[in-house]
Amino acid sequence: MLDRNNSEIIWVSPGNSKGQGTWENPFGSIKEALRVVKPGNTLVLKEGIYRENQTFEISGTPQKPVRIVSDDDAKVIIEESCWFFYDTSDLIISNLIFKDSPFGAISVIGTCKRNRFDSLQFINCGSKKEASCTMYFGGSGGCFNVVENCRFERESQLLDHLQTPDNASVAVMISEGDTNQSSPLMDHI
């Protein structure tokens, strides 16, 4: 059970205007909350639909990771959006639903280390012909990233048009390095 009075928790509710990040008066967007997040904080998304592509350039520490989670028993949907993680470390993303992200839902790029993507559900993500995957790990120098207890689904009406090699998509793709001098991606689970 999340403590509504814990000062380490930052609350977000879609569409709330002029929020303060408290449970009673949450920020209205993830972008607003990211401006104040620090190592050890938990960013809690209240129930609702979030439609915003998001770039994460924040990090926690091994002792104080940054968590991005849903509220207790809340259905939190990240819809038609992609989350981009650039050179992030020690983030824990859990208990969210990514839905209808046409070109993929999560891209983890660069020296991203010790990030955990846990108990996420992906529905109809990476369904455009140009898409190659739902979760992408790329660039160079990333290591010790974990994808655990995640579910990848396609609704039945989409299955028929995804049966050719031209428009198929994989769940997780790891593609290392842009140049010969780049550091390899290592130890992804």
Side-chain angles (χ1 to χ4, degrees):
M1 188 81 161
L2 293 164
D3 180 357
R4 295 178 178 175
N5 297 313
N6 183 339
S7 63
E8 295 289 307
I9 295 178
I10 301 167
W11 296 86
V12 180
S13 183
N16 191 45
S17 63
K18 299 185 178 149
Q20 305 276 319
T22 64
W23 186 85
E24 298 87 6
N25 192 14
F27 287 120
S29 72
I30 297 164
K31 186 176 199 166
E32 289 176 274
L34 290 176
R35 291 183 189 136
V36 299
V37 74
K38 294 181 175 96
N41 285 155
T42 299
L43 202 141
V44 179
L45 306 181
K46 288 187 166 191
E47 184 153 334
I49 297 174
Y50 296 76
R51 288 185 183 100
E52 53 183 304
N53 288 328
Q54 190 59 60
T55 299
F56 295 84
E57 296 178 284
I58 59 168
S59 290
T61 67
Q63 297 78 20
K64 291 184 168 192
V66 171
R67 291 175 172 81
I68 302 172
V69 302
S70 65
D71 195 359
D72 293 326
D73 301 317
K75 187 174 185 179
V76 174
I77 299 173
I78 312 302
E79 189 171 71
E80 298 175 354
S81 304
C82 186
W83 284 11
F84 300 92
F85 296 85
Y86 292 105
D87 299 327
T88 62
S89 296
D90 303 301
L91 301 181
I92 300 170
I93 315 299
S94 63
N95 297 316
L96 305 174
I97 300 168
F98 288 81
K99 185 173 183 190
D100 298 329
S101 301
F103 297 103
I106 293 179
S107 290
V108 183
I109 302 165
T111 54
C112 294
K113 298 178 181 180
R114 299 177 306 275
N115 297 299
R116 178 181 215 89
F117 301 90
D118 182 41
S119 301
L120 303 175
Q121 182 179 4
F122 299 93
I123 303 169
N124 301 333
C125 296
S127 59
K128 289 287 187 186
K129 182 178 179 180
E130 299 84 3
S132 57
C133 61
T134 296
M135 292 185 79
Y136 174 77
F137 292 83
S140 62
C143 60
F144 306 115
N145 292 295
V146 176
V147 176
E148 184 173 49
N149 298 318
C150 293
R151 221 166 82 194
F152 300 85
E153 304 174 23
R154 291 259 193 247
E155 291 177 347
S156 60
Q157 69 268 22
L158 292 179
L159 288 177
D160 289 341
H161 87 276
L162 290 174
Q163 298 303 312
T164 70
D166 290 337
N167 58 9
S169 177
V170 297
V172 178
M173 178 185 288
I174 300 173
S175 174
E176 73 175 333
D178 300 325
T179 68
N180 292 337
Q181 284 79 29
S182 64
S183 300
L185 296 176
M186 299 180 356
D187 300 319
H188 284 59
I189 302 171

